[in-house]
Amino acid sequence: MNDLVRQHTALSDTDLEWLHLLVSEWQLLSDLSFADLVLWVPTRDGTRYVSVAQMRPNTGPTSYQDDMVGHLVPRGRRPLLDAALDEGRIVREGDPEWREEVPVRVESIPVRREGRVLGVIARNTNLLTVRTPSRLELTYLQSASDLAQMIAAGSFPFPGQQVDMDASPRVGDGLVRLDADGVVQYASPNGLSAYHRLGLASDLVGQHLGGITAELAPSRGPVDEALVKLASGYAPREFEVECTGGVIQLRAIPLKPKGVRIGSLVLLRDVTELRRRERELITKDATIREIHHRVKNNLQTVAALLRLQSRRMDSEQGREALNEAVRRVGSIAIVHETLSQNLDERVEFDEIADRVIAMVAEISPGKVTCRRTGRFGILDAEVATPLAMVLTEVLQNALEHAFGVAESGTVEVSAVRGGSPTETRLLITVQDDGCGLPEGFDPQRTGNLGLQIVRTLVEGELSGTFGMVPAPERGTQVILDIPVSADK
C-alpha cells in the first residue's frame, strides 16, 4: 500500500497514515455489509484510479475472485467512483453488474479526512444468495450504513485508535446494538451467549448494557461508573470484563452518522479459554525460571563446597584441580542465572561470555589482558551451556600455559556469525600472544583433561569442529566452528 500510494498518488504521509488506520478497521464494515471492499485512490495527474487495498467479508460470499490491489482504471470507466469523489457523497445509483454470471451491487463511499476526499471505497455485494433478511442481517446492514456515512463524513475511523484486528472482537464473535441511552436494541446469538457465560439469566434486549455489565462484574464497592460508561458505548474503547463464569472482551464503537450520536455498536468475544491458557503459560514460564534459579543456586553451593575443600588440601596439584572444577561449575551457573531472567530458553551469550572471561581472568599469573570482539548473539540453552564450559576451558588453558608467572600478554576472543540461509554457523577464535604450542603437539590426541572436555563437547554435543594451531605471528589460536539456530 505504501509503495502504490507513493508511486501513483500525491497523498501526503499523514493522508497515508489515515488510510492505514481505515484499512485496520474496515474488516468491520466488510462483515457488516456482507460485501467486498476495494479502496481506490486517484492518481497524481487525476486521470486514473489505483486500487491500494482490498478486503473480503467473513460473513458472505466474495464478489471478486481475483486480487484487485495494484489495478489501474481510467477516470470515466466507473461513473460511481467519479460521482463519489467529485460530490463527496455515498453513491448507490445504477443497476447491478454481472461478473462471471453473478449479479453484484456496487456502491461508492468517499473517504474523507479534514474536509478532503482522499479516495473512494467501492462496496461490492454478491447478490446471488440474497434472501429475505433476518433481524441479525438487518441490524448488520443498518450498522454498516451508519459506518459508511461516518467514513464519508470523516468521523470514522477514530483518530488515535489503532486496532489490532487479530486480537479485537469481530462481527461474527458477537454483536450488540445500543440506542443513544445505552439500552440494547439487538443482541446476536453469540453476544447473548457470552453474557450468559458471565451469569446473565435473562435476555439482553431492553436492558441497559452498562448497568447489566457492572452488576455482573465482581465489585467490592459501589457500582463502577467507568465500566457503566464504557459498556454503554459512549466512547471508542476496548476492555475486558471478568466474572466467576468467564471473561469477555468488548469493543465499543459510537455511531454518529450525521455528527450526533444515535447509538453504539458493541462487539464482544468470549475469551475465557484464551485467558486460561495464557495464565497457564505464565505459570509455566515462572516455574521454568524458578527451576533455573534453583539450579544456579545449587551449582553455586557445589562450587562453594569445592572451594572450601580446596583450602583444606595439602597437595598443590589437588588444590588446583578443585579450583578448575569450581570454574567449570561456575560457567554452567552463569548460564542458568541468565536463563532464570528470560521468558524463553534462549540467551544473549555476549553477556555470558564477558562474565566467563572475567571469571577466568582472575587466575592470570601475570599481567594478561583478556578482551572480546564480535558478537555471539542469541543462542539456545542447549548450545549456551556446553559453549560456556568450552570457552572456560580454552581460556583457562591459554592463561595457564601460554604465559609465564611474570609475563604480560593478551588473549582475544572473537565471534562471527554467518552461513547460508538454511544454516547459521558461529565461528569462535581464541588467540593469545604467548609462547605457542610445543613441538609435535597434537590437540586431537594429546592434551590435559580440559582439552578432552573441549573436544567432547564441541564434537559431541555441539556437532562442531575444534582446531588448535600456531597463531600467524606469535602464540596459539583455537578455532571453534559450530552450527547454531538463526536469530529470531
Side-chain angles (χ1 to χ4, degrees), residues 236-262:
R237 293 289 186 275
E238 192 170 312
F239 58 99
E240 287 187 5
V241 176
E242 181 172 1
C243 303
T244 306
V247 185
I248 62 172
Q249 182 183 14
L250 299 96
R251 183 189 174 202
I253 304 169
L255 297 176
K256 303 177 182 179
K258 296 181 180 179
V260 178
R261 182 175 169 275
I262 63 168

Side-chain angles (χ1 to χ4, degrees), residues 451-474:
L451 287 181
Q452 294 177 19
I453 292 174
V454 170
R455 286 198 299 268
T456 302
L457 292 177
V458 172
E459 297 172 359
E461 289 198 33
L462 297 175
S463 301
T465 59
F466 161 69
M468 195 172 188
V469 297
E473 296 181 2
R474 181 188 176 191

Side-chain angles (χ1 to χ4, degrees), residues 2 76 97 194 256 264 345 385:
N2 287 348
E97 296 181 2
K256 303 177 182 179
S264 304
E345 292 292 289
T385 302

Side-chain angles (χ1 to χ4, degrees), residues 25 40 53 57 60 131 159 182 291 354 361 462:
E25 293 271 25
W40 297 93
R131 62 185 186 279
I291 290 172
D354 291 340
L462 297 175

